[in-house]
Amino acid sequence: MRFRNDTRGIGVAKLFFTLVTSVGLGLSMGTSFLIVRGPFLGGPSLDPFPMMAALAVFIVGIVVLSWGSTRLFGVGTGM
């Protein structure tokens, strides 16, 4: 299935992958702030369980960001 072909020229697939990339970027930026605010910015550090949850969401955010951006820019599609 080719996501890059859009029959109406609206760019629905491009819009979807832009949204996915934005969600991944938001997840990774938000959780990275939670992770580094304690040791580097002088704020309170998170407890161990919320720190691990933030780290897990950060990794998920990076995966979603990578997948969305590679699909958005057509990396590996041969175009």
Side-chain angles (χ1 to χ4, degrees):
M1 186 158 92
R2 296 185 60 105
F3 289 105
R4 305 297 277 177
N5 291 341
D6 200 358
T7 56
R8 295 185 185 184
I10 300 173
V12 176
K14 195 170 192 176
L15 180 66
F16 172 72
F17 290 121
T18 302
L19 181 66
V20 168
T21 303
S22 301
V23 166
L25 184 63
L27 282 174
S28 61
M29 286 181 64
T31 54
S32 66
F33 173 74
L34 288 177
I35 292 170
V36 301
R37 75 175 171 155
F40 300 109
L41 301 177
S45 103
L46 294 173
D47 292 333
F49 184 71
M51 179 70 81
M52 290 303 291
L55 182 61
V57 173
F58 175 77
I59 292 170
V60 168
I62 292 296
V63 168
V64 169
L65 172 68
S66 301
W67 180 74
S69 61
T70 55
R71 297 299 293 185
L72 177 65
F73 296 116
V75 176
T77 58
M79 293 180 81

